[in-house]
Amino acid sequence: MTTVPGRRSSTFTRLLRHGFTDPSAAEQLLDLPELGSVRADPVLFDALGATSDPDLALRSLVRLVEAEEAEERQILLDTLVAAKPLRDRLLGVLGASEALGDHLARHPRDWQALVTYEATDLHPGVAEFEHLLADAVDPDSLRVAYRRSLLSIAARDVCGTTDLAQVAAELADLATATLRAALAIARTAAPADAAQCRLAVIAMGKCGGHELNYVSDVDVIFVGEPVEGAEENRAVQAATRLAAHMMRICSDTTVEGTIWPVDANLRPEGRNGPLVRTLSSHLAYYQRWAKTWEFQALLKARPVAGDAELGAEYVEAVSPLVWQAADRENFVADVQQMRRRVVDNIPADRVDRELKLGPGGLRDVEFAVQLLQLVHGRSDSTLRSGSTLTALRALADGGYVGRADAAQLDDAYRFLRSMEHRIQLYRLRRTHLVPEGEADLRRLGRSLGLRTDPVAELNRAWRRHASVVRRLHEKLFYRPLLDAVAQLAPGESRLSAKAAVVRLEALGYADPAAALRHLEALSSGVSRKAAIQRTLLPVLLGWFADSADPDAGLLGFRQVSDALGKTPWYLRLLRDEGAAAENLARVLSAGRLAPDLLMRAPEAVAILGDPEGLKPRTREHLDQEVLAAVGRAQGAEAAVAVARGMRRRELFRTTAADLIGSYGTEDYPAEQDPGALVDRVGSAVTDLNAATLSGAVRAAVREQWGDTLPTRFAVIGMGRFGGHELSYGSDADVLFVHAPREGVSDEEAARAANTVITEMRRLLQLPTADPPLLIDADLRPEGKSGPLVRTLKSYEAYYRRWALVWESQALLRAEPMAGDEELGRAFVELIDPLRYPAEGLGEDAVREIRRLKARMESERMPRGADPTLHTKLGRGGLSDVEWTVQLMQMQHGWAEPGLRTTRTREALAAACAAGLIPAEEAQTLDEAWVLAARVRNAVMLVRGRPSDTFPSNPRELTAVGRYLGYGPGHAGDMLEDYRRITRRARAVVDERFYGAAG
């Protein structure tokens, strides 16, 4: 074709109009002499323009034509122009699949497989595919015959003659025929083995479910039995050789490529188990050892090749076990674990392109449907289908899934599977990743009928459908539970009360009948509150089911809703603040402490919707709020009531932040540094207790003396309070110090200080809705026998003359917390030489500290307590680590300023930096201390009361595990990890504290 220089030819323009992206290259191909008879035919242009990728279709057509002999070439071109069915099919395939274009270039006569257009050709089954593969006698000829059959399936697919479900079924039928042909080749190659055994091939996964992809592992299980008169072991060995050979015939790569991998890893014991087992061996394994996921896999088991009678016996034998899986003791824990999306192993740069495993992907739909089948299929045989779409339709028909939800999910699943099919068809490679290249996306979009702006339309449609799946896949479990207690329109199917109870049990509810009553109370009626709660509950129920105590979560939500349901801001908060509802669900279902704090003042739920709401308030902020409130209050009791209310609110803020940080949410992962969580809790609880004490001191003084007390007065924090390491259940260990003002007698000053202390303790322990703050002053000189408060001079005289080593050690944690700041600083100056003695401790003092520690270990451990699991006094626990660190502080604090801190972890890090302890040992101690501290916090959060040991109640133990990051069913792993970590810490303590090191 010649054109005027600088002017585009009419052919070039036509090619652009018909969707070619490289019309210059296409024009050159059309100029080839092989296409001379058809190059100007408008029918060819239209047909090429209708394909997914006109450029690819033309290139592949040229390769096919060039591969043909001259005579056959003309027959092909004449038929191509004259026969529309062939034209649409052949060019449709060539424009969608580079790999099938390669096949036709190698085997040009195979285009004739697309000529016929009979009824049997439109919807072939296993028998038709077996006929097409009948001449295959070796792996290469089987591959060629397989690709020829695949060619016809792909042609019907891209032309829209068959829908997604039919295509997937045909691919499964072709796989069945291929497995049979491969087994026949293997049997022919080893007639002696074939004569000894009966071998059945059971399809699993998508092949078993009659919903196969273009390129997918074909999952199988093998069952073998001896023929009559044969010895069982030899027969199983023979069957194993046949099975292995059959797998290689399909999986190996030859000059004709490969078919697909045959994967037998779903068999009992996986790849570690024998490839072939007898039927009785299969049953023995499933009855004794199988996990829930293995029964889920058996949902799709279908005999496809080999001994049909044996295959049928296998399915008949295992089927009852599948439908009894929901009755298994560990089913709920397994379900909770399995329901979490498997996205952790997907590289971050791929998760957004994952069609199968990513959020809103195919796995979400398939898993949700299969789980509902396991729960309800035991009592409803209509649900027992291996096909996802068939099962989804049956679930909707039975009322187990809402019809509208099922229809939306069906539509989304079909679209996502169609995307997956077209992506795999291009190069016949096993992939679930959406391509990134513009040309690939354009071809993919056009293959799905998106022609105006294929890339933009494809991305919009894909995101829309993935969003539907994300929104619905968990809602599938919970929406019908609401319908079960709601008034439905006539003719609507609903989940029966019995089925609702079954589902709630499967989701971990211990009292499903009570849960149903809560659902009815929350969702019934026509009020705006009920309408919003009906929308929220399906999602909330999913979050509750993810927790260790779904019952508590649902009950708590009902209580909060009853208290706040009429306040507009509460409903608005849950509806509009995406994080608030999830945060509330996590907090309500994780244990008793946080819900108890919330129920006493439900309006604190507003904290959960504020982006800044979970951050702890600073000490300055807390002091300002408390002291301002005390100044406004009428009387000391009213003032301290306000301070205690602030403390309760801030405790809730701290517990909520701790729980959400430990569990993580859908948008924010769990905190990866457990030490940061412990430090955050310790600092926050310390600050709010200190602010509360400041308020109580101010209130007690104002009540009797106005603004000025006759003596300066300070509260010194001790123990965990002074160390900023308080847990939720800790008392506040303190010392009281005072200094008489000028002109005030010692007696009057002492009487005033004691009055303040007595009143302050009374106010902080008054019975109210707010938790009390207990003050413990037993670490004072002479303990309980000594005066409650001393002057600075009295402390100085006592410490100079009478102080014991343990008292100096206790002062390592002393830090002013409330009252007169100058007096507090003077107290610290007084005690510094005692806690950081010049030149360190003498040998006698070190011996005394070690003796006291050994005595404490033997005498203070509670009777019957497991020393390997006691967080405070047990092996490698808090006491072990703290005493080891404190010994280093007393020995070296005089020379190492970094050791002069009241905080254990800071002092340990300083000791490591100073070379006093190797980094590995310091890390071991730090890890054990953080873990023991987190366990104490977890127990208080879960049980609502403090304890230094793990709970014995299984549900409470599971909740502690969830807080620590252990999934359902892994409480044993948690205890073993605790023992291992603390055992290593104790070895360091034995060396550093009791040994010569130091």
Side-chain angles (χ1 to χ4, degrees), residues 214-461:
Y214 276 103
V215 188
S216 174
D217 289 358
V218 171
D219 297 308
V220 298
I221 284 176
F222 296 106
V223 189
E225 293 287 346
V227 299
E228 189 172 347
E231 197 269 320
E232 183 177 293
N233 283 341
R234 289 187 176 181
V236 170
Q237 290 170 5
T240 300
R241 288 190 290 271
L242 288 174
H245 190 190
M246 187 204 83
M247 292 174 69
R248 290 195 303 274
I249 289 170
C250 297
S251 304
D252 285 353
T253 300
T254 73
V255 291
E256 290 294 344
T258 185
I259 301 177
W260 19 246
V262 177
D263 188 340
N265 288 337
L266 291 177
R267 67 186 184 270
E269 299 181 76
R271 65 184 59 194
N272 297 319
L275 184 62
V276 179
R277 289 176 183 256
T278 62
L279 179 55
S280 60
S281 176
H282 276 284
L283 290 176
Y285 173 85
Y286 286 126
Q287 289 165 347
R288 186 170 184 185
W289 303 111
K291 297 180 172 62
T292 299
W293 71 263
E294 293 178 276
F295 293 112
Q296 182 183 4
L298 286 171
L299 274 170
K300 296 183 179 291
R302 180 172 65 94
V304 291
D307 191 301
E309 185 180 346
L310 178 58
E313 289 175 11
Y314 172 86
V315 171
E316 185 179 354
V318 301
S319 184
L321 301 178
V322 173
W323 306 114
Q324 292 164 13
D327 296 325
R328 290 159 55 90
E329 183 179 347
N330 60 343
F331 181 75
V332 170
D334 287 345
V335 165
Q336 287 182 319
Q337 193 169 19
M338 289 156 59
R339 278 181 54 254
R340 288 171 181 78
R341 295 196 187 97
V342 192
V343 295
D344 293 345
N345 295 326
I346 305 174
D349 61 336
R350 291 188 174 190
V351 70
D352 289 335
R353 297 191 292 126
E354 255 284 350
L355 269 179
K356 182 178 180 181
L357 300 178
L362 294 163
R363 177 62 60 84
D364 279 350
V365 183
E366 292 160 358
F367 183 81
V369 169
Q370 290 164 23
L371 206 50
L372 288 173
Q373 286 179 279
L374 283 180
V375 171
H376 298 294
R378 53 182 166 170
S379 59
D380 188 343
S381 60
T382 65
L383 305 181
R384 300 177 184 180
S385 169
S387 160
T388 300
L389 292 175
T390 302
L392 181 58
R393 191 161 52 250
L395 286 164
D397 290 343
Y400 302 101
V401 171
R403 286 189 184 279
D405 291 345
Q408 281 188 283
L409 213 55
D410 180 286
D411 189 40
Y413 185 73
R414 287 175 184 272
F415 182 85
L416 296 174
R417 279 297 301 273
S418 296
M419 279 184 70
E420 182 183 45
H421 276 190
R422 297 295 198 276
I423 292 168
Q424 293 181 349
L425 182 59
Y426 176 50
R427 285 187 175 147
L428 288 183
R429 291 181 182 170
R430 181 176 181 268
T431 179
H432 310 287
L433 287 179
V434 177
E436 295 180 288
E438 184 84 8
D440 291 326
L441 290 170
R442 181 175 182 274
R443 182 182 55 258
L444 179 57
R446 283 174 60 92
S447 76
L448 295 169
L450 308 172
R451 297 300 172 96
T452 305
D453 186 353
V455 176
E457 291 176 70
L458 172 67
N459 280 319
R460 280 197 299 272

Side-chain angles (χ1 to χ4, degrees), residues 102 192 218 230 237 243 257 400 421 508 511 526 574 585 747 810 814 832 911 934:
D102 292 343
V218 171
Q237 290 170 5
Y400 302 101
H421 276 190
D511 188 350
V526 294
L574 294 185
E747 293 78 7
D832 271 352
R934 289 207 76 209

Side-chain angles (χ1 to χ4, degrees), residues 478-814:
Y478 311 113
R479 171 63 66 189
L481 291 169
L482 300 190
D483 292 343
V485 295
Q487 297 295 319
L488 298 185
E492 281 285 317
S493 299
R494 70 159 66 202
L495 198 65
S496 69
K498 181 179 178 181
V501 165
V502 167
R503 188 174 301 189
L504 285 164
E505 283 178 340
L507 293 167
Y509 287 83
D511 188 350
L516 270 184
R517 289 196 297 273
H518 296 324
L519 289 176
E520 185 171 13
L522 287 162
S523 62
S524 60
V526 294
S527 66
R528 179 171 171 272
K529 168 188 169 184
I532 292 175
Q533 289 178 165
R534 279 195 295 272
T535 302
L536 286 170
L537 274 167
V539 183
L540 287 170
L541 286 169
W543 289 323
F544 294 149
D546 260 342
S547 73
D549 195 348
D551 300 80
L554 183 55
L555 171 61
F557 180 67
R558 181 178 177 184
Q559 291 172 333
V560 172
S561 181
D562 287 347
L564 295 177
K566 293 182 180 179
T567 56
W569 66 264
Y570 168 70
L571 295 169
R572 205 163 46 241
L573 173 79
L574 294 185
R575 186 191 63 199
D576 299 337
E577 298 289 342
E582 184 178 5
N583 290 344
L584 178 61
R586 300 298 182 202
V587 166
L588 290 176
S589 56
R592 295 182 183 175
L593 179 61
D596 285 351
L597 293 169
L598 180 59
M599 295 312 165
R600 291 168 182 171
E603 64 276 3
V605 77
I607 289 171
L608 302 177
D610 181 355
E612 300 294 311
L614 295 176
K615 291 184 178 179
R617 297 294 183 256
T618 63
R619 173 68 193 274
E620 293 73 22
H621 181 108
L622 297 171
D623 277 342
Q624 186 178 5
E625 179 182 354
V626 168
L627 296 178
V630 169
R632 291 191 300 270
Q634 299 296 316
E637 290 192 5
V640 174
V642 173
R644 287 175 64 181
M646 178 279 300
R647 178 172 176 265
R648 183 245 318 121
R649 183 197 71 215
E650 294 306 315
L651 270 177
F652 174 71
R653 188 193 310 276
T654 305
T655 58
D658 189 16
L659 289 167
I660 292 162
S662 298
Y663 274 73
T665 65
E666 290 190 355
D667 293 327
Y668 297 99
E671 170 65 62
Q672 296 302 303
D673 180 5
L677 286 169
V678 168
D679 292 345
R680 219 171 290 152
V681 170
S683 296
V685 177
T686 298
D687 284 349
L688 65 93
N689 281 358
T692 305
L693 283 176
S694 292
V697 170
R698 177 71 62 87
V701 170
R702 284 191 67 205
E703 185 79 355
Q704 189 163 339
W705 293 280
D707 291 333
T708 306
L709 189 67
T711 184
R712 292 158 59 212
F713 179 81
V715 182
I716 310 298
M718 300 288 285
R720 297 193 179 286
F721 188 26
H724 294 259
E725 294 164 358
L726 285 176
S727 61
Y728 296 114
S730 301
D731 296 345
D733 290 319
V734 298
L735 298 178
F736 298 110
V737 59
H738 78 105
R741 298 188 185 278
E742 189 174 344
V744 177
S745 68
D746 289 350
E747 293 78 7
E748 183 186 353
R751 189 164 51 249
N754 274 291
T755 300
V756 168
I757 294 168
T758 302
E759 178 66 359
M760 181 174 67
R761 296 176 93 171
R762 181 187 76 84
L763 292 170
L764 291 173
Q765 294 178 48
L766 281 173
T768 70
D770 298 311
L773 174 55
L774 302 179
I775 297 173
D776 187 339
D778 290 352
L779 289 175
R780 65 186 183 270
E782 302 179 74
K784 293 181 180 178
S785 304
L788 198 57
V789 59
R790 290 174 181 262
T791 63
L792 198 61
K793 289 181 179 179
S794 176
Y795 274 110
E796 182 180 13
Y798 175 85
Y799 286 137
R800 183 176 65 250
R801 186 171 184 184
W802 304 108
L804 300 174
V805 175
W806 74 263
E807 291 179 295
S808 298
Q809 182 183 353
L811 289 171
L812 286 168
R813 302 289 203 100

